[in-house]
Amino acid sequence: MEAFTTHTGRAVPLRRGNVDTDQIIPAHWLKKVTRDGFEDGLFEAWRKDPGFALNLPEYAGATVLVAGKDFGTGSSREHAVWALQNYGFKAVISARFADIFRGNSLKNGLLTVVLPQAAVDTLWQLTESDPATEVTVDLVAREVRAGATFRESFELDENARWRLLEGLDDISLTLREEDSIAAYEASRPTFKPRTLTA
Amino acid sequence: MGRTLAEKVWDDHVVRRAEGEPDLLYIDLHLLHEVTSPQAFDGLRKNGRTVRRTDLTIATEDHNTPTLDIDKPIADPVSRTQLETLRRNCADFGVRLHPLGDDEQGVVHVVGPQLGLTQPGMTVVCGDSHTSTHGAFGALAFGIGTSQVEHVLATQTLPMAPFRTMAVTVTGELPDGVTAKDLILAIIARIGTGGGQGYVIEYRGEAIEKLSMEARMTICNMSIEAGARAGMIAPDETTFAYLDGRDHAPTGPDRDAAVSYWRTLRTDDDAVFDHEVVIDATELAPFVTWGTNPGQGLPLSGSVPDPASFADAGERLAAEKALEYMGLSAGQPLRDIAVDTVFVGSCTNGRIEDLRAAASVIEGRSVADGVRMLVVPGSVRVALQAVAEGLDKVFTAAGAEWRHAGCSMCLGMNPDQLAPGERSASTSNRNFEGRQGKGGRTHLVSPQVAAASAVTGRLASPADLDVSDAALPAGV
Ligand code: SF4
């Protein structure tokens, strides 16, 4: 997982609440065999509408998604996170995220930032009135900054923050236990089976 | 205080334990198949990681594989891609693979045990919920998600929070004609599809001890249908005898060391389970499901229940919806339910004993007009054994279709599916809406009931067939 310290980019306002994982990535995309290539499936149904925010040229290349409350409800599909990342998003801001989606996002290095709805409203106004507005999501200082005046701090549990700052996924963390794993392996009985016979 | 079987196996696999953190558990065997592994291998590639222990990893193709014309290219491009991806991943990372056409190919949970790779006291994982099957050997075996598959590939470990323990004690002996499938369906009906949530279930008691290894696998396989993370049965002489002579079973001094360790894998007399359930085996009869979850089952002699008879509002609603989906009405005798399709196979009931049981019922009889019967061995080895015993001929002579090994109609990812509205008697494990094909209706049954139902065209037990047949047990 890539470390996340601070990110600055333009933001897309998504004025919708209760965005479920079926909307983020529809089920028929789950047949794919990769974690890549889900970008065209992201919000597939909504993107058929030319007026949908992601279709507007002024938001092309945006990397921060500012969404309504209860983002990522529904199924546990990790594909929802992959789709957002594949599309280019580095961070999602919302007043509330579904638990499983949030867990998956942090596992994959997509920063989910919880801000009060009033702050989300302000970001929507800023990015709608001037789509070139740059939004900074700073995990070191634990704050979001935008335009000349917007500055709002956010919380993230210490363990999750540490893993993001260090770019550690569960696997990297476990790999730090190399010595314990190797010691355990050295003590495994010889009668345990192996699939490969040398 | 003493420990349970599950706790002993758990403790023996703790790589690292720290206050306030999950235990890091070592994994002895990692099974892979084509559906849940592609993104995990992708993750390894992206991070420049390797498979830590290719010698504890094995892959087979099962979910997407066709059961006809296996020498021809697979028609469905999506299925073909999944299989080709697995082949490339296994080649790139050095993982042993048994692809379609190989003599060791088959459903992942049939392949591990038949190779002797599943042994007592091991930790076994697979990106598949029916990994619980391997618990029949006294292994701690559970299904995992794709991220965890990647974690195990990279580290051969998993951070895990401990399970709770449940004992299901089955007293007495199963009556003649009552099988492991009937028993597990009855257990699930009793504890409910969520009753095992968070637990490892240990099946014990006289009836369990008398079961063959294959029957024990049928029991443990469906633990997940009660919501449990895993099911286990303490290893005994039956277990050791099953393993002897298998490819990967220990031999010589290794066997002695293994068996003396395996004998310690029993729940201590003073151990305490978090929950206990007792079932009287002598009261059981052939069991079938009438609804759309595996807990909605009854003895075959019963009738479709009236949803109003359920005290719990949730269950009442579930029963109403189930009857609607299944096209059944309250009070209808289960024996009157006509089936279009009979499926014998899956990791629940696709082993040689299951095929023998179905064949013994159908031998000298015919599949009823208008009924399609598919017999799909759980693995190529099972198929070869069945052919050596002439079982394939018994099935085809009766009018059944003898197919190639795989998951097949258990989940219909390949072309073997129910058409909308079609009804099956199936030896598989899930009767969910649409599981065997969009709009398909599934009744879960034992191999014996499946075969008898094929003959009569309605849900039936062998005892309902020609009762003058002396080979059949009476009173079933
Ligand atoms: S046979 Fe059915 S339950 Fe078993 S692994 Fe295959 S699809 Fe899953």
Side-chain angles (χ1 to χ4, degrees):
Chain A
M1 185 167 97
E2 254 178 71
F4 191 110
T5 49
T6 180
H7 172 80
T8 302
R10 283 174 297 113
V12 194
L14 179 62
R15 282 188 181 263
R16 289 183 197 245
N18 267 306
V19 177
D20 64 55
T21 50
D22 268 287
Q23 299 305 324
I24 301 172
I25 186 85
H28 67 96
W29 283 86
L30 311 192
K31 290 181 183 178
K32 285 180 63 62
V33 296
T34 58
R35 282 178 200 245
D36 304 306
F38 290 96
E39 58 273 20
D40 291 339
L42 180 69
F43 302 125
E44 188 177 50
W46 293 343
R47 276 163 75 187
K48 297 203 170 102
D49 166 12
F52 180 61
L54 265 65
N55 290 331
L56 303 177
E58 55 268 37
Y59 295 114
T63 51
V64 178
L65 182 67
V66 186
K69 199 171 183 175
D70 290 320
F71 188 84
T73 55
S75 89
S76 64
R77 59 188 68 162
E78 225 166 283
H79 307 69
V81 172
W82 302 337
L84 286 159
Q85 291 182 309
N86 293 166
Y87 188 86
F89 287 112
K90 304 285 184 203
V92 184
I93 297 171
S94 168
R96 194 160 68 196
F97 292 94
D99 276 351
I100 300 175
F101 174 84
R102 188 144 207 241
N104 286 342
S105 70
L106 297 175
K107 228 178 231 173
N108 284 275
L110 176 74
L111 183 59
T112 39
V113 178
V114 180
L115 293 186
Q117 187 57 45
V120 170
D121 288 339
T122 309
L123 283 174
W124 279 342
Q125 285 152 18
L126 277 173
T127 53
E128 278 165 1
S129 59
D130 180 8
T133 305
E134 300 242 294
V135 175
T136 296
V137 181
D138 186 340
L139 184 59
V140 181
R142 265 186 287 216
E143 66 177 19
V144 176
R145 297 182 294 273
T149 53
F150 183 91
R151 179 179 288 249
E152 185 83 32
S153 61
F154 64 88
E155 299 288 324
L156 186 66
D157 93 74
E158 238 351 277
N159 186 270
R161 177 168 173 265
W162 169 67
R163 289 193 300 173
L164 282 165
L165 287 172
E166 301 268 321
L168 301 169
D169 50 56
D170 286 352
I171 297 177
S172 316
L173 284 180
T174 299
L175 288 172
R176 291 185 168 187
E177 306 300 331
E178 169 60 34
D179 291 351
S180 315
I181 299 172
Y184 181 89
E185 283 178 332
S187 72
R188 288 178 81 235
T190 56
F191 59 73
K192 295 259 185 178
R194 291 166 178 236
T195 56
L196 302 175
T197 32
Chain B
M1 194 179 72
R3 292 176 301 160
T4 64
L5 165 61
E7 288 160 344
K8 288 182 182 183
V9 178
W10 180 284
D11 289 348
D12 283 349
H13 290 85
V14 175
V15 168
R16 179 177 173 274
R17 178 168 282 167
E19 187 62 31
E21 287 179 41
D23 283 351
L24 190 63
L25 280 197
Y26 198 79
I27 303 302
D28 287 321
L29 179 65
H30 188 190
L31 305 155
L32 298 167
H33 63 75
E34 74 274 18
V35 179
T36 52
S37 63
Q39 290 90 352
F41 279 110
D42 242 30
L44 292 185
R45 269 196 197 90
K46 203 164 106 201
N47 293 290
R49 290 173 179 142
T50 56
V51 176
R52 181 184 179 89
R53 294 295 300 262
T54 50
D55 62 336
L56 304 182
T57 311
I58 188 169
T60 184
E61 300 174 354
D62 52 11
H63 285 67
N64 283 273
T65 53
T67 57
L68 287 173
D69 302 327
I70 65 157
D71 45 344
K72 304 216 178 92
I74 295 166
D76 175 5
V78 181
S79 292
R80 194 168 62 229
T81 303
Q82 279 205 321
L83 293 172
E84 283 167 358
T85 304
L86 181 69
R87 288 171 197 179
R88 185 171 49 90
N89 285 333
C90 288
D92 287 359
F93 287 89
V95 172
R96 172 175 167 187
L97 168 69
H98 294 295
L100 189 61
D102 187 279
D103 271 1
E104 301 297 348
Q105 179 260 338
V107 180
V108 67
H109 310 306
V110 177
V111 169
Q114 87 189 359
L115 283 170
L117 282 168
T118 304
Q119 296 175 15
M122 291 173 61
T123 44
V124 180
V125 299
C126 175
D128 192 282
S129 59
H130 290 99
T131 310
S132 57
T133 311
H134 307 263
F137 290 79
L140 181 61
F142 48 91
I144 57 177
T146 295
S147 286
Q148 290 174 303
V149 169
E150 184 180 340
H151 196 284
V152 176
L153 287 173
T155 69
Q156 204 58 36
T157 64
L158 269 183
M160 297 286 298
F163 304 125
R164 287 177 293 166
T165 57
M166 183 191 297
V168 171
T169 305
V170 189
T171 60
E173 270 186 69
L174 288 174
D176 279 347
V178 179
T179 70
K181 182 62 162 290
D182 303 309
L183 171 56
I184 189 63
L185 285 172
I187 291 172
I188 298 164
R190 169 81 162 278
I191 64 182
T193 50
Q197 207 87 54
Y199 288 101
V200 172
I201 299 178
E202 181 182 334
Y203 303 95
R204 50 214 313 255
E206 187 187 351
I208 299 293
E209 287 161 20
K210 290 227 161 97
L211 294 176
S212 70
M213 280 316 295
E214 298 199 352
R216 293 179 190 185
M217 285 188 246
T218 301
I219 301 279
C220 287
N221 174 273
M222 291 192 70
S223 304
I224 187 72
E225 260 54 71
R229 277 311 300 270
M232 296 179 91
I233 294 173
D236 59 11
E237 297 306 322
T238 303
T239 321
F240 311 151
Y242 177 93
L243 280 164
D244 281 338
R246 293 189 184 268
D247 280 11
H248 294 271
T251 53
D254 269 350
R255 184 193 186 271
D256 299 340
V259 170
S260 59
Y261 170 60
W262 295 346
R263 287 190 201 285
T264 68
L265 298 173
R266 309 195 69 81
T267 293
D268 295 326
D269 290 341
D270 57 343
V272 179
F273 289 93
D274 296 312
H275 188 65
E276 291 200 57
V277 173
V278 179
I279 306 253
D280 180 357
T282 62
E283 288 181 354
L284 297 176
F287 218 83
V288 302
T289 62
W290 50 267
T292 51
N293 74 56
Q296 291 175 322
L298 280 172
L300 178 60
S301 55
S303 303
V304 176
D306 183 349
S309 67
F310 291 95
D312 179 85
E315 276 183 45
R316 191 159 53 238
L317 187 67
E320 278 168 15
K321 281 193 175 325
L323 294 200
E324 192 184 315
Y325 181 83
M326 294 295 288
L328 298 172
S329 39
Q332 202 175 344
L334 296 171
R335 279 194 166 92
D336 284 356
I337 297 173
V339 298
D340 312 287
T341 298
V342 172
F343 172 67
V344 175
S346 87
C347 58
T348 310
N349 282 127
R351 284 170 288 265
I352 190 68
E353 287 178 12
D354 302 311
L355 300 196
R356 284 180 193 142
S360 74
V361 173
I362 211 152
E363 182 156 25
R365 299 188 164 104
S366 318
V367 174
D369 283 348
V371 173
R372 158 174 76 143
M373 180 179 186
L374 296 188
V375 183
V376 184
S379 71
V380 176
R381 284 275 165 226
V382 170
L384 293 172
Q385 178 68 29
V387 168
E389 296 178 19
L391 304 183
D392 60 325
K393 297 271 173 357
V394 172
F395 288 119
T396 50
E401 296 179 41
W402 174 251
R403 295 293 189 92
H404 190 80
C407 295
S408 178
M409 199 185 271
C410 176
L411 88 168
M413 243 177 126
N414 74 354
D416 306 338
Q417 297 178 8
L418 294 180
E422 266 189 338
R423 187 183 297 282
S424 76
S426 175
T427 67
S428 56
N429 45 47
R430 282 183 178 154
N431 50 345
F432 298 160
E433 291 187 13
R435 167 87 174 176
Q436 296 190 296
K438 208 170 178 194
R441 297 158 169 168
T442 304
H443 296 273
L444 300 177
V445 300
S446 71
Q448 287 86 332
V449 168
S453 304
V455 172
T456 63
R458 288 169 290 111
L459 293 181
S461 76
D464 300 332
L465 304 178
D466 183 4
V467 282
S468 67
D469 188 337
L472 293 172
V476 178

